[in-house]
Amino acid sequence: MNMPPQFDDQKLARRLWEAFTEVERREGLSLLMRYQEPGGAQKDRVVGAGWLGSRIPNLTPERTMISAGAQAAIVAVLGVLANRGDVICTEAMAYPGLRTAAARLGLEVLRLELDDEGILPTALAKACREVGVKALCCTPTLQNPTTATMSLARREEIIAVARRHRLAILEDDAYGRLPDPALPALAALAPDLTWHIAGLAKLVSPALRIAYVAAPDAQGAVQVAAQLRAISGMASPITAAAATHRISTGLASAALAAIRSETRARRRIAAEALGNVAAEPADAFHPWLRLPSPWSRGTFLAALRSHEISVVPSDAFATSGDPPEAVRIGLGAPRTRDDLARALSTIAQVLTPPQPSRSYV
């Protein structure tokens, strides 16, 4: 799993746990004994809209829905944007959960070539002209798994293509706040086209199965709420209240800062072990390692498995076609920096096996 690294700040850890006691004190028994609307309680949507406000100016609670995690949000938004048999497009190497959601809804997924800045605008334009896709699904910042990040110019080019073809955009902003400063969200540049999904799993806590969906308008938010009702009924009121408390008290921002700091420290460890290939981007906790010849991903995984180390091969992310010889490394999986350093040292040794000795007679 691609999880944020566990930071070593016991004072902050205590405050995060104490937040649940504070939620109990404030909310009382009614929080445990009442259903809520499928899109979340009004007070939680107000706070959610405020949390997204730094990414999406002028966002209102009426456009903001609360989901039981980003995966449910992706299914809900796709359910609004496309019907069975329709075609959506995404990066050639993409988050596996998107393919799972598309398969569940009977949607065809079209792969788009990408470079270090993400999807190529020419590839998107060609897909729009030749196939008639219903939606573009993308992760503009620290794309999973390649860590590609769209520059501002690339974001504007992608939006120009989408606007020309009246194409809806599903923006997965799972990692958008990790870089500091952050690039603007697509939803900030094209709010009328973009359905923005921002989960808390990578930024605050994987245990908070909460994501916020910003729809282009209030009617779109109502449609998302209807989809969420069919998928999960409602997000857990307890976790939604916990998320609201953490955001409104500054605990969410403190956790994000701690995760960002720990990620950068672990990136430095990765760079020491694996070289420049693991040095950038500094705020991504999932390096994308292209394997040198003669390694194949299958033989590399088998070699690491003998050392009880697991990484994720490119096959898990390939939309279609032949996956590259590459793997994703999760820097957040090891509990401590020392554990990470040992694992990365082993990976480096496996990558560069000793040369056979020569005999001279």
Side-chain angles (χ1 to χ4, degrees), residues 16-100:
L16 291 171
W17 274 114
E18 289 167 358
F20 288 98
T21 302
E22 183 63 19
V23 168
E24 177 191 13
R25 186 187 70 79
R26 289 187 180 186
E27 301 290 343
L29 186 61
S30 63
L31 183 67
L32 302 179
M33 301 303 295
R34 294 287 184 271
Y35 286 105
Q36 291 186 355
E37 292 298 314
Q42 175 69 12
K43 62 180 183 297
D44 295 328
R45 290 192 289 113
V46 168
V47 171
W51 171 254
L52 298 185
S54 63
R55 306 281 292 139
I56 311 172
N58 304 315
L59 180 64
T60 63
E62 290 70 31
R63 290 171 51 202
T64 307
M65 293 289 109
I66 299 175
S67 168
Q71 183 65 24
I74 289 171
V75 176
V77 172
L78 287 179
V80 172
L81 297 180
N83 297 314
R84 183 171 294 275
D86 285 340
V87 180
I88 61 172
C89 58
T90 191
E91 299 98 342
M93 303 296 295
Y95 166 57
L98 175 65
R99 291 188 289 117
T100 302

Side-chain angles (χ1 to χ4, degrees), residues 11-298:
K11 183 177 180 181
L12 177 57
R14 285 195 300 273
R15 290 175 63 202
L16 291 171
W17 274 114
E18 289 167 358
F20 288 98
T21 302
E22 183 63 19
V23 168
E24 177 191 13
R25 186 187 70 79
R26 289 187 180 186
E27 301 290 343
L29 186 61
S30 63
L31 183 67
L32 302 179
M33 301 303 295
R34 294 287 184 271
Y35 286 105
Q36 291 186 355
E37 292 298 314
Q42 175 69 12
K43 62 180 183 297
D44 295 328
R45 290 192 289 113
V46 168
V47 171
W51 171 254
L52 298 185
S54 63
R55 306 281 292 139
I56 311 172
N58 304 315
L59 180 64
T60 63
E62 290 70 31
R63 290 171 51 202
T64 307
M65 293 289 109
I66 299 175
S67 168
Q71 183 65 24
I74 289 171
V75 176
V77 172
L78 287 179
V80 172
L81 297 180
N83 297 314
R84 183 171 294 275
D86 285 340
V87 180
I88 61 172
C89 58
T90 191
E91 299 98 342
M93 303 296 295
Y95 166 57
L98 175 65
R99 291 188 289 117
T100 302
R104 171 73 62 176
L105 296 170
L107 306 177
E108 181 182 345
V109 180
L110 179 68
R111 69 193 299 267
L112 299 177
E113 293 302 323
L114 67 162
D115 61 12
D116 290 343
E117 290 194 23
I119 291 170
L120 297 173
T122 53
L124 177 60
K126 181 180 179 182
C128 290
R129 287 194 309 269
E130 297 181 0
V131 181
V133 294
K134 285 286 188 177
L136 165 65
C137 306
C138 62
T139 304
T141 300
L142 302 179
Q143 194 265 344
N144 183 14
T146 68
T147 72
T149 296
M150 293 184 186
S151 64
L152 178 58
R154 177 64 61 86
R155 292 169 196 244
E156 291 172 340
E157 288 181 89
I158 291 294
I159 288 170
V161 174
R163 197 172 293 288
R164 189 160 60 245
H165 294 276
R166 299 181 180 179
L167 182 68
I169 300 173
L170 187 160
E171 178 181 28
D172 183 357
D173 201 42
Y175 310 96
R177 288 175 182 263
L178 282 174
D180 186 22
L183 284 160
L186 297 181
L189 301 173
D192 56 320
L193 297 179
T194 308
W195 303 70
H196 180 94
I197 298 174
L200 297 182
K202 312 300 185 186
L203 306 177
V204 180
S205 167
L208 287 178
R209 302 306 301 160
I210 290 295
Y212 302 105
V213 183
D217 52 39
Q219 180 57 38
V222 170
Q223 292 175 297
V224 168
Q227 293 288 331
L228 290 173
R229 182 190 294 275
I231 295 165
S232 57
M234 63 179 182
S236 164
I238 297 174
T239 51
T244 290
H245 179 270
R246 293 185 184 195
I247 291 170
S248 59
T249 59
L251 276 174
S253 294
L256 171 58
I259 289 169
R260 184 188 293 121
S261 177
E262 182 65 22
T263 296
R264 291 176 178 176
R266 294 190 178 211
R267 269 288 184 173
R268 291 191 290 270
I269 294 171
E272 290 174 5
L274 302 175
N276 289 337
V277 67
E280 297 292 340
D283 295 307
F285 43 75
H286 60 281
W288 181 239
L289 180 63
R290 296 187 179 275
L291 300 175
S293 179
W295 283 111
S296 70
R297 55 196 185 276

